[in-house]
Amino acid sequence: MIDSMFRTVSSAERFERVGVPAEPSAAAHTRDAFSRWLQSTFDLDPYKANDLVLAIYEALANTAEFAYSTTGFVGTMDLCAAHDSAESALSVTVADRGRWRTAPSYPADRSRGRGIALMKALSDQASIQTSTSGTTVRLVWTGIRRR
């Protein structure tokens, strides 16, 4: 994870939004900026681009909704994407400094709770690391080439 001072980076190899307030509106703005970066930097068909955007938004939205829900304050989240041109792979990390929320053993609302499954289905690799100092979601897509 990177420090929580708000910072933005956009280049052909990297996209970073660090220290973003973990709120729904900030998650939406970050998603939109990431989508514009994808469209301007990579040669993706619209379906693949939508898969990437939806997967990272699920990670951002989960952070905004759950990471700091028991703290009483708005924490921050970081989105860092890096392209490896030699491997034609794009890796995206969404991280927070909040607490992992364990899902109830029964679904309270059957229309919810599909975010992690979506992230895994829409990416080539997905991992979630949790600790007392935060959660890190890492998503990887292969076959991603720059324009």
Side-chain angles (χ1 to χ4, degrees):
M1 257 186 308
I2 304 168
D3 64 23
S4 62
M5 183 187 292
F6 187 73
R7 180 177 77 228
T8 67
V9 173
S10 293
S11 69
E13 292 82 24
R14 299 193 67 74
F15 176 92
E16 294 182 0
R17 295 298 183 268
V18 176
V20 176
E23 300 177 310
S25 62
H29 289 295
T30 302
R31 174 203 58 211
D32 295 344
F34 179 79
S35 179
R36 288 189 298 273
W37 177 73
L38 278 178
Q39 291 173 5
S40 67
T41 307
F42 300 100
D43 185 22
L44 295 171
D45 70 67
Y47 296 107
K48 183 76 160 189
N50 285 338
D51 288 351
L52 272 80
V53 171
L54 178 56
I56 68 98
Y57 184 63
E58 285 297 332
L60 292 167
N62 282 351
T63 298
E65 186 171 358
F66 301 118
Y68 303 98
S69 62
T70 61
T71 65
F73 65 89
V74 175
T76 60
M77 57 188 169
D78 306 334
L79 184 146
C80 301
H83 182 254
D84 181 337
S85 57
E87 297 290 326
S88 297
L90 179 66
S91 62
V92 179
T93 302
V94 175
D96 65 61
R97 286 157 284 291
R99 294 279 181 178
W100 179 259
R101 183 189 75 123
T102 305
S105 58
Y106 59 91
D109 181 350
R110 295 176 82 67
S111 67
R112 297 183 45 93
R114 294 183 175 90
I116 292 172
L118 272 171
M119 287 184 269
K120 289 179 178 181
L122 296 172
S123 63
D124 295 320
Q125 297 173 25
S127 66
I128 301 172
Q129 300 293 322
T130 63
S131 75
T132 56
S133 61
T135 300
T136 301
V137 175
R138 184 168 184 267
L139 306 170
V140 178
W141 289 268
T142 57
I144 306 294
R145 291 176 175 62
R146 291 200 326 228
R147 291 190 179 277

